[in-house]
Amino acid sequence: MSTPFEPYDLGGIRLANRIVMAPMTRSRAYGPGQSPTDLMAVYYAQRASAGLIITEGTQPSVIGQGYPDTPGIHSAEQVAAWRKVTDAVHAEGGKIFLQVLHTGRIGHPSITGLTPAGPSAVRAAGQVYTHEGPQDFVTPHELTEAEIEETMADFVAAARNAMEAGFDGVELHGANGYLIHQFLAPNANRRTDAWGGSPERRIRFAVETAQKVVEAIGGDKVGFRISPGNPVNDIDESDRADMEATYTMLVEALAPLGLVYLHHMEAAEMRDLGVRLRKAWPSTFILNPSTGAEPTGPDALKLIEDGTADLIAYGALFLANPDLPARLAAGGPFNTPDRATYYGGDHRGYTDYPTLG
């Protein structure tokens, strides 16, 4: 039986344990041109006892930014600033992957000066926070064939930049209603060309992006995140048969690429699908389990022991407990996350959560 606190071999990377810090947007990239700050280096270094840290979503291009003050990985100054983060984490013995996130149609022109782009010109229902307050999503520009190729090239360049910045690998964000997920979902992708329509064509952008990134930096440095059935950001995958066919095909197409892990953000009532995808997946399976309104807690560690997952990802509980592995091993106590300080702000609710002892 596997235990959560034993070391784990992630494609040749030795992790101290099987507990993952999940990617969490914190909107504190106040450095020049959306660069990470010294405070961000402190934040991640404080959490280096995780087996693996996956950073907040990081845009591969200007148009890929959907929220204020999120970091990029497309300029020299951003790469240099991220290097301070990776150096700080490695100095504490940690391992860290950069999550590459293109938000697609989720965003607003007031954030970047550009109209967001997506697979189809379909506006998402809802609003996005901007420095001017909440604003309705806008109708995105539909990516042309040439722009699709350029966008995949942006992902490749971001991955190469992440390696230059000292990351141990990258995670491609194919979940939570962002660009890759938009291509997968029939309500956001209404194309009738080779990039939309059937499940086989809707998975093409995800698969080809992953393939190109693997060719650039090696599959042992590339993970992929999915969230089947997650309705966030106006994604509709309520046709269960279509959704299951789409993700089965996606996992089967990604499997031969040699990716180091699949990161499944579980939607409610989707455990059975996750179990099937895990059986079809040839390498490490990370699970961010569905826990309703409560943060993922100590009970989730049983999913490692019973073989449901190789690694378990913790979000809000890791945000509030920098020494989470030690607290899980001790059975608590746990600091309570302060939702009011999740996005933006200073060190409060960011680097000032207390540790044990």
Side-chain angles (χ1 to χ4, degrees):
M1 182 179 70
S2 299
T3 64
F5 306 105
E6 65 186 11
Y8 183 81
D9 181 1
L10 181 69
I13 302 171
R14 186 182 187 277
L15 308 184
N17 54 60
R18 295 170 178 249
I19 297 162
V20 176
M21 177 178 167
M24 293 173 283
T25 292
R26 304 303 307 275
S27 293
R28 284 172 168 86
Y30 301 136
Q34 285 75 56
S35 293
T37 64
D38 291 345
L39 191 65
M40 288 172 64
V42 173
Y43 167 75
Y44 283 112
Q46 286 178 339
R47 290 155 179 79
S49 64
L52 176 66
I53 293 171
I54 305 171
T55 73
E56 61 209 276
T58 302
Q59 55 262 12
S61 59
V62 173
I63 200 171
Q65 180 180 0
Y67 303 102
D69 304 317
T70 55
I73 189 68
H74 52 84
S75 73
E77 61 189 357
Q78 291 165 351
V79 171
W82 273 119
R83 168 64 76 170
K84 293 182 179 180
V85 175
T86 60
D87 284 349
V89 169
H90 291 149
E92 295 296 326
K95 303 297 182 183
I96 182 167
F97 272 43
L98 179 85
Q99 188 190 69
V100 185
L101 163 59
H102 190 305
T103 56
R105 67 177 183 167
I106 300 304
H108 195 272
S110 67
I111 296 171
T112 62
L114 303 171
T115 299
S120 297
V122 179
R123 184 180 69 84
Q127 293 184 316
V128 63
Y129 177 79
T130 73
H131 285 307
E132 291 74 42
Q135 299 198 53
D136 291 343
F137 292 122
V138 300
T139 300
H141 163 70
E142 180 174 305
L143 291 165
T144 66
E145 285 256 5
E147 289 167 340
I148 289 174
E149 295 292 337
E150 291 168 5
T151 302
M152 290 191 290
D154 288 339
F155 274 91
V156 171
R160 289 196 171 111
N161 285 343
M163 294 299 98
E164 184 180 342
F167 283 95
D168 297 293
V170 301
E171 175 178 283
L172 304 180
H173 197 343
N176 293 4
Y178 299 121
L179 183 63
I180 295 176
H181 198 182
Q182 290 160 26
F183 269 94
L184 297 173
N187 74 310
N189 181 354
R190 300 183 187 175
R191 303 177 74 99
T192 57
D193 61 4
W195 301 93
S198 67
E200 293 92 338
R201 294 200 296 271
R202 295 201 310 273
I203 70 170
R204 182 183 171 190
F205 180 77
V207 175
E208 290 196 15
T209 299
Q211 182 175 17
K212 291 175 186 296
V213 172
V214 166
E215 290 169 354
I217 67 171
D220 60 337
K221 297 179 180 64
V222 183
F224 197 100
R225 195 182 207 206
I226 58 172
S227 61
N230 184 352
V232 69
N233 287 320
D234 196 31
I235 289 294
D236 183 359
E237 294 176 319
S238 57
D239 183 333
R240 185 71 182 247
D242 179 88
M243 185 268 290
E244 294 202 7
T246 299
Y247 283 92
T248 298
M249 289 179 193
L250 174 63
V251 168
E252 289 175 349
L254 291 175
L257 302 183
L259 301 178
V260 74
Y261 69 72
L262 182 69
H263 183 182
H264 180 202
M265 185 173 179
E266 185 179 65
E269 311 300 328
M270 293 285 178
R271 179 62 50 82
D272 57 336
L273 174 61
V275 169
R276 290 199 298 276
L277 295 180
R278 171 163 170 60
K279 289 179 180 177
W281 185 250
S283 65
T284 296
F285 187 83
I286 302 176
L287 180 63
N288 194 178
S290 174
T291 54
E294 296 299 315
T296 304
D299 287 348
L301 297 177
K302 297 174 183 176
L303 298 171
I304 295 173
E305 296 168 351
D306 69 15
T308 302
D310 296 305
L311 309 175
I312 295 292
Y314 284 85
L317 209 61
F318 229 132
L319 177 155
N321 296 274
D323 54 348
L324 183 60
R327 290 177 183 267
L328 289 169
F334 300 100
N335 301 321
T336 301
D338 177 13
R339 296 188 65 89
T341 58
Y342 276 10
Y343 307 111
D346 52 20
H347 69 284
R348 290 168 291 186
Y350 191 59
T351 57
D352 63 349
Y353 284 106
T355 59
L356 291 174

PDB file of all heavy atoms in Angstrom, residues 53-69:
ATOM      1  N   ILE A  53       5.053  21.563  -6.185  1.00  0.00           N
ATOM      2  CA  ILE A  53       4.297  22.807  -6.315  1.00  0.00           C
ATOM      3  C   ILE A  53       3.938  22.994  -7.780  1.00  0.00           C
ATOM      4  O   ILE A  53       4.803  22.873  -8.658  1.00  0.00           O
ATOM      5  CB  ILE A  53       5.117  24.024  -5.841  1.00  0.00           C
ATOM      6  CG1 ILE A  53       5.371  23.965  -4.331  1.00  0.00           C
ATOM      7  CG2 ILE A  53       4.425  25.331  -6.210  1.00  0.00           C
ATOM      8  CD1 ILE A  53       6.353  25.032  -3.852  1.00  0.00           C
ATOM      9  N   ILE A  54       2.669  23.288  -8.046  1.00  0.00           N
ATOM     10  CA  ILE A  54       2.251  23.731  -9.379  1.00  0.00           C
ATOM     11  C   ILE A  54       1.834  25.190  -9.223  1.00  0.00           C
ATOM     12  O   ILE A  54       0.970  25.519  -8.413  1.00  0.00           O
ATOM     13  CB  ILE A  54       1.086  22.901  -9.934  1.00  0.00           C
ATOM     14  CG1 ILE A  54       1.437  21.407  -9.919  1.00  0.00           C
ATOM     15  CG2 ILE A  54       0.749  23.349 -11.362  1.00  0.00           C
ATOM     16  CD1 ILE A  54       0.265  20.509 -10.256  1.00  0.00           C
ATOM     17  N   THR A  55       2.468  26.066  -9.985  1.00  0.00           N
ATOM     18  CA  THR A  55       2.233  27.498  -9.793  1.00  0.00           C
ATOM     19  C   THR A  55       0.844  27.915 -10.251  1.00  0.00           C
ATOM     20  O   THR A  55       0.133  27.187 -10.950  1.00  0.00           O
ATOM     21  CB  THR A  55       3.228  28.355 -10.589  1.00  0.00           C
ATOM     22  OG1 THR A  55       2.890  28.283 -11.987  1.00  0.00           O
ATOM     23  CG2 THR A  55       4.664  27.941 -10.360  1.00  0.00           C
ATOM     24  N   GLU A  56       0.502  29.131  -9.879  1.00  0.00           N
ATOM     25  CA  GLU A  56      -0.675  29.800 -10.421  1.00  0.00           C
ATOM     26  C   GLU A  56      -0.603  29.829 -11.944  1.00  0.00           C
ATOM     27  O   GLU A  56       0.476  29.774 -12.553  1.00  0.00           O
ATOM     28  CB  GLU A  56      -0.732  31.227  -9.900  1.00  0.00           C
ATOM     29  CG  GLU A  56       0.474  32.074 -10.291  1.00  0.00           C
ATOM     30  CD  GLU A  56       0.766  33.147  -9.264  1.00  0.00           C
ATOM     31  OE1 GLU A  56       0.144  34.212  -9.340  1.00  0.00           O
ATOM     32  OE2 GLU A  56       1.620  32.905  -8.387  1.00  0.00           O
ATOM     33  N   GLY A  57      -1.758  29.917 -12.588  1.00  0.00           N
ATOM     34  CA  GLY A  57      -1.786  29.990 -14.037  1.00  0.00           C
ATOM     35  C   GLY A  57      -1.010  31.187 -14.556  1.00  0.00           C
ATOM     36  O   GLY A  57      -1.168  32.305 -14.061  1.00  0.00           O
ATOM     37  N   THR A  58      -0.183  30.945 -15.576  1.00  0.00           N
ATOM     38  CA  THR A  58       0.759  31.946 -16.078  1.00  0.00           C
ATOM     39  C   THR A  58       0.588  32.072 -17.584  1.00  0.00           C
ATOM     40  O   THR A  58       0.698  31.075 -18.316  1.00  0.00           O
ATOM     41  CB  THR A  58       2.197  31.535 -15.712  1.00  0.00           C
ATOM     42  OG1 THR A  58       2.291  31.393 -14.285  1.00  0.00           O
ATOM     43  CG2 THR A  58       3.204  32.539 -16.193  1.00  0.00           C
ATOM     44  N   GLN A  59       0.308  33.277 -18.064  1.00  0.00           N
ATOM     45  CA  GLN A  59      -0.057  33.459 -19.464  1.00  0.00           C
ATOM     46  C   GLN A  59       1.165  33.329 -20.392  1.00  0.00           C
ATOM     47  O   GLN A  59       2.230  33.865 -20.104  1.00  0.00           O
ATOM     48  CB  GLN A  59      -0.760  34.793 -19.707  1.00  0.00           C
ATOM     49  CG  GLN A  59      -0.036  36.039 -19.265  1.00  0.00           C
ATOM     50  CD  GLN A  59      -0.502  36.538 -17.907  1.00  0.00           C
ATOM     51  OE1 GLN A  59      -1.212  35.846 -17.181  1.00  0.00           O
ATOM     52  NE2 GLN A  59      -0.119  37.752 -17.559  1.00  0.00           N
ATOM     53  N   PRO A  60       0.965  32.641 -21.531  1.00  0.00           N
ATOM     54  CA  PRO A  60       2.042  32.473 -22.503  1.00  0.00           C
ATOM     55  C   PRO A  60       2.163  33.625 -23.488  1.00  0.00           C
ATOM     56  O   PRO A  60       3.074  33.626 -24.331  1.00  0.00           O
ATOM     57  CB  PRO A  60       1.636  31.190 -23.233  1.00  0.00           C
ATOM     58  CG  PRO A  60       0.141  31.233 -23.218  1.00  0.00           C
ATOM     59  CD  PRO A  60      -0.234  31.868 -21.910  1.00  0.00           C
ATOM     60  N   SER A  61       1.241  34.593 -23.396  1.00  0.00           N
ATOM     61  CA  SER A  61       1.218  35.720 -24.333  1.00  0.00           C
ATOM     62  C   SER A  61       0.376  36.820 -23.706  1.00  0.00           C
ATOM     63  O   SER A  61      -0.358  36.583 -22.739  1.00  0.00           O
ATOM     64  CB  SER A  61       0.591  35.294 -25.669  1.00  0.00           C
ATOM     65  OG  SER A  61      -0.737  34.822 -25.461  1.00  0.00           O
ATOM     66  N   VAL A  62       0.455  38.015 -24.277  1.00  0.00           N
ATOM     67  CA  VAL A  62      -0.354  39.121 -23.758  1.00  0.00           C
ATOM     68  C   VAL A  62      -1.835  38.798 -23.872  1.00  0.00           C
ATOM     69  O   VAL A  62      -2.605  38.977 -22.915  1.00  0.00           O
ATOM     70  CB  VAL A  62      -0.023  40.430 -24.505  1.00  0.00           C
ATOM     71  CG1 VAL A  62      -0.980  41.542 -24.076  1.00  0.00           C
ATOM     72  CG2 VAL A  62       1.422  40.845 -24.246  1.00  0.00           C
ATOM     73  N   ILE A  63      -2.258  38.278 -25.019  1.00  0.00           N
ATOM     74  CA  ILE A  63      -3.682  38.004 -25.227  1.00  0.00           C
ATOM     75  C   ILE A  63      -4.157  36.833 -24.377  1.00  0.00           C
ATOM     76  O   ILE A  63      -5.354  36.644 -24.172  1.00  0.00           O
ATOM     77  CB  ILE A  63      -3.984  37.768 -26.724  1.00  0.00           C
ATOM     78  CG1 ILE A  63      -5.482  37.970 -26.994  1.00  0.00           C
ATOM     79  CG2 ILE A  63      -3.507  36.385 -27.164  1.00  0.00           C
ATOM     80  CD1 ILE A  63      -5.842  37.962 -28.462  1.00  0.00           C
ATOM     81  N   GLY A  64      -3.234  36.056 -23.846  1.00  0.00           N
ATOM     82  CA  GLY A  64      -3.599  34.925 -22.994  1.00  0.00           C
ATOM     83  C   GLY A  64      -3.934  35.306 -21.571  1.00  0.00           C
ATOM     84  O   GLY A  64      -4.290  34.438 -20.768  1.00  0.00           O
ATOM     85  N   GLN A  65      -3.835  36.584 -21.216  1.00  0.00           N
ATOM     86  CA  GLN A  65      -4.114  37.043 -19.858  1.00  0.00           C
ATOM     87  C   GLN A  65      -5.584  37.385 -19.704  1.00  0.00           C
ATOM     88  O   GLN A  65      -6.129  38.191 -20.454  1.00  0.00           O
ATOM     89  CB  GLN A  65      -3.268  38.271 -19.513  1.00  0.00           C
ATOM     90  CG  GLN A  65      -3.503  38.806 -18.106  1.00  0.00           C
ATOM     91  CD  GLN A  65      -2.667  40.030 -17.775  1.00  0.00           C
ATOM     92  OE1 GLN A  65      -1.896  40.501 -18.610  1.00  0.00           O
ATOM     93  NE2 GLN A  65      -2.815  40.539 -16.565  1.00  0.00           N
ATOM     94  N   GLY A  66      -6.235  36.794 -18.684  1.00  0.00           N
ATOM     95  CA  GLY A  66      -7.656  37.042 -18.494  1.00  0.00           C
ATOM     96  C   GLY A  66      -8.019  37.744 -17.212  1.00  0.00           C
ATOM     97  O   GLY A  66      -9.181  38.110 -17.022  1.00  0.00           O
ATOM     98  N   TYR A  67      -7.048  37.943 -16.318  1.00  0.00           N
ATOM     99  CA  TYR A  67      -7.318  38.571 -15.021  1.00  0.00           C
ATOM    100  C   TYR A  67      -6.233  39.597 -14.714  1.00  0.00           C
ATOM    101  O   TYR A  67      -5.100  39.476 -15.187  1.00  0.00           O
ATOM    102  CB  TYR A  67      -7.340  37.519 -13.911  1.00  0.00           C
ATOM    103  CG  TYR A  67      -8.336  36.410 -14.131  1.00  0.00           C
ATOM    104  CD1 TYR A  67      -7.919  35.154 -14.590  1.00  0.00           C
ATOM    105  CD2 TYR A  67      -9.692  36.604 -13.877  1.00  0.00           C
ATOM    106  CE1 TYR A  67      -8.833  34.131 -14.793  1.00  0.00           C
ATOM    107  CE2 TYR A  67     -10.607  35.590 -14.074  1.00  0.00           C
ATOM    108  CZ  TYR A  67     -10.174  34.351 -14.536  1.00  0.00           C
ATOM    109  OH  TYR A  67     -11.084  33.344 -14.744  1.00  0.00           O
ATOM    110  N   PRO A  68      -6.534  40.588 -13.877  1.00  0.00           N
ATOM    111  CA  PRO A  68      -5.510  41.568 -13.526  1.00  0.00           C
ATOM    112  C   PRO A  68      -4.390  40.945 -12.697  1.00  0.00           C
ATOM    113  O   PRO A  68      -4.621  40.054 -11.875  1.00  0.00           O
ATOM    114  CB  PRO A  68      -6.292  42.590 -12.675  1.00  0.00           C
ATOM    115  CG  PRO A  68      -7.729  42.364 -12.982  1.00  0.00           C
ATOM    116  CD  PRO A  68      -7.852  40.912 -13.296  1.00  0.00           C
ATOM    117  N   ASP A  69      -3.183  41.409 -12.943  1.00  0.00           N
ATOM    118  CA  ASP A  69      -2.026  41.110 -12.096  1.00  0.00           C
ATOM    119  C   ASP A  69      -1.693  39.625 -12.011  1.00  0.00           C
ATOM    120  O   ASP A  69      -1.186  39.141 -10.993  1.00  0.00           O
ATOM    121  CB  ASP A  69      -2.237  41.686 -10.692  1.00  0.00           C
ATOM    122  CG  ASP A  69      -2.507  43.180 -10.723  1.00  0.00           C
ATOM    123  OD1 ASP A  69      -1.805  43.883 -11.479  1.00  0.00           O
ATOM    124  OD2 ASP A  69      -3.431  43.644 -10.024  1.00  0.00           O
TER     125      ASP A  69
END
